[in-house]
Amino acid sequence: MKAIVSGGGSGGHIFPAIAIANALKHRFPDAEILFVGAEGKMEMDKVPAAGYTIKGLPIDGLHRQLNWTNIKRNIRLPFKICKSNRMVRAILKEFQPDIVIGVGGYASEPTLKMAERMGLPTLLQEQNSYAGLTNKLLSRKARTICVAYDGMERFFPAEKIVMTGNPVRRDIEDMSVTRQEGCEHFGLNEADKVVLSVGGSLGARSINNMLLRNIDFFVTNKIQLIWQTGVWMYDEVAKAVSAAHAEEWVKVHKFINRMDMAYAAADVVVSRAGAIAISELCLVGKPMILIPSPNVAEDHQTKNAQSLVNKGAAILVPDSKCSEEGIPNLLKIINSEETAKKMSEACKNLGMRNAAEKIVDEIMKIIES
């Protein structure tokens, strides 16, 4: 069995892709799996680290902010698309996959389009509650579209949709870590409340700035903070925490590799509203404050977050208001055991397990047909 998995650009696309590949290898140990990603994007590091081979395409997206750098990038884009198409065709002819799986990101469009032109079966995995233009176009010829939210027939042919949930990391889905182990891992006191802040795999400037202005709040109120800053603001945050002598209460990390430990330790999570982050948080049942990124297509993170707010599982704070509303909403959850419990129960009701295995089931239906 030979499969190509294409997409990436952020952890929200890469982690599901790897989870699907792992589920395929678990069921079919002799399966050959090849990833196709975009040159210079994080999948080119994360996929080999997970033990898989990846081919990079010189593909990029359209840059809508008008400045001279972006204008030059946009001028080069047609040439990158043509070169990527030629490379994809060669990859598909050489590898001869039984199926091509798209998870979103720059590389998935040329890969799945070319696969469809060559008559190869394709499957889409849409993580968000609001589908992007690329997946809407690719869905016309895809055999199956695996989704994680209700109401996706707004974007895709209803007869092709299968509700599977979003694949998440196995250590999160199997979650055997205790709160005590999580606190010990991060050097925290189990008796005090713990807040986890994650701004996605690349960090979130507005969330980081909100917390920077409130370092003393955590020390004064004896609330512990596990803070994933992302690479761009790590040095600035680490210096500010050191200058405030707050290291006992605020634990700063560029990137958290053991998210199972972080989730186990946390009483409340402050996060962007990426689809995979939400799927993980629902599985572990953590009260959450979601601050959607304003810099995503179709404002899909706000739509992701609103679907949880409607069911009492989260509090939504707009990015533009996080400085004023973030800390008060954090206190609202921390100071009310009843509020935290209700949100936690609502989250668990939304969690969907074994998504990767369900997607493999759909892959096998396509191949066998």
Side-chain angles (χ1 to χ4, degrees):
M1 210 266 277
K2 301 175 83 172
I4 282 179
V5 184
S6 185
S10 69
H13 295 309
I14 296 165
F15 294 133
I18 292 172
I20 294 168
N22 288 343
L24 276 169
K25 288 294 282 185
H26 183 261
R27 195 176 301 186
F28 305 101
D30 294 331
E32 294 180 48
I33 300 171
L34 176 67
F35 281 73
V36 178
E39 291 176 355
K41 300 299 181 182
M42 64 186 295
E43 60 262 30
M44 301 307 293
D45 295 321
K46 297 292 183 185
V47 168
Y52 294 102
T53 300
I54 186 167
K55 302 274 190 182
L57 304 178
I59 192 65
D60 200 355
L62 184 68
H63 297 272
R64 291 178 173 82
Q65 288 186 343
L66 290 181
N67 56 53
W68 182 237
T69 300
N70 286 345
I71 289 171
K72 288 191 288 185
R73 287 177 177 172
N74 289 340
I75 290 170
R76 291 195 293 267
L77 183 58
F79 301 98
K80 290 184 175 183
I81 292 172
C82 289
K83 185 176 180 181
S84 294
N85 286 336
R86 291 196 301 271
M87 290 175 68
V88 165
R89 185 173 181 82
I91 290 168
L92 293 170
K93 286 181 72 175
E94 180 183 354
F95 191 73
Q96 296 186 356
D98 296 298
I99 190 161
V100 180
I101 303 154
V103 297
Y106 293 140
S108 66
E109 182 177 14
T111 305
L112 269 75
K113 273 188 178 177
M114 186 58 68
E116 289 167 352
R117 277 187 216 164
M118 294 171 69
L120 296 167
T122 63
L123 175 144
L124 289 177
Q125 198 271 317
E126 172 59 62
Q127 297 98 28
N128 293 294
S129 62
Y130 194 93
L133 178 61
T134 298
N135 274 359
K136 283 189 264 188
L137 294 172
L138 292 172
S139 71
R140 294 173 184 173
K141 293 189 178 180
R143 301 284 183 89
T144 302
I145 303 128
C146 297
V147 302
Y149 290 89
D150 295 326
M152 297 304 286
E153 61 275 3
R154 293 175 294 160
F155 311 108
F156 304 129
E159 69 277 7
K160 295 183 179 183
I161 295 172
V162 179
M163 175 67 78
T164 60
N166 280 323
V168 302
R169 290 168 279 195
R170 177 56 63 183
D171 57 344
I172 306 300
E173 186 156 343
D174 293 341
M175 199 67 171
S176 59
V177 178
T178 65
R179 187 172 191 275
Q180 180 182 353
E181 290 170 330
C183 288
E184 287 176 357
H185 180 82
F186 289 99
L188 302 171
N189 182 354
E190 193 181 355
D192 293 313
K193 294 289 186 181
V194 178
V195 174
L196 169 64
S197 173
V198 283
S201 53
L202 301 175
R205 183 168 292 278
S206 54
I207 295 176
N208 286 339
N209 285 335
M210 173 191 75
L211 295 174
L212 270 173
R213 287 189 284 270
N214 288 282
I215 291 172
D216 289 341
F217 162 84
F218 290 93
V219 178
T220 303
N221 290 278
K222 295 187 177 180
I223 299 170
Q224 301 169 111
L225 173 65
I226 305 170
W227 188 352
Q228 179 180 286
T229 63
V231 64
W232 307 115
M233 289 187 70
Y234 174 77
D235 291 338
E236 179 184 352
V237 170
K239 287 176 184 175
V241 171
S242 177
H245 305 291
E247 294 96 330
E248 179 184 351
W249 296 96
V250 181
K251 309 296 181 180
V252 183
H253 298 266
K254 194 177 294 184
F255 185 80
I256 298 171
N257 290 309
R258 290 297 304 271
M259 283 304 298
D260 56 336
M261 292 286 188
Y263 287 144
D267 295 292
V268 186
V269 180
V270 180
S271 175
R272 285 301 198 200
I276 301 307
I278 287 176
S279 295
E280 290 184 348
L281 288 164
C282 286
L283 283 175
V284 298
K286 295 294 175 177
M288 59 185 108
I289 295 171
L290 297 175
I291 304 175
S293 171
N295 305 311
V296 295
E298 311 286 352
D299 195 25
H300 67 255
Q301 286 201 7
T302 296
K303 297 175 178 73
N304 291 347
Q306 192 61 54
S307 67
L308 269 72
V309 172
N310 293 344
K311 296 177 181 177
I315 292 174
L316 191 162
V317 174
D319 186 83
S320 60
K321 296 183 179 179
C322 73
S323 291
E324 310 98 79
E325 297 182 8
I327 296 298
N329 276 295
L330 190 60
L331 277 174
K332 180 180 175 181
I333 299 172
I334 287 174
N335 291 337
S336 172
E337 292 289 340
E338 184 181 355
T339 298
K341 185 179 179 181
K342 284 182 179 178
M343 291 178 71
S344 179
E345 289 172 352
C347 283
K348 288 177 181 176
N349 289 335
L350 296 172
M352 298 185 69
R353 298 191 174 277
N354 303 313
E357 287 75 14
K358 292 173 186 173
I359 292 169
V360 172
D361 290 340
E362 297 305 316
I363 289 169
M364 293 316 301
K365 288 177 187 176
I366 294 170
I367 292 174
E368 288 167 2
S369 68

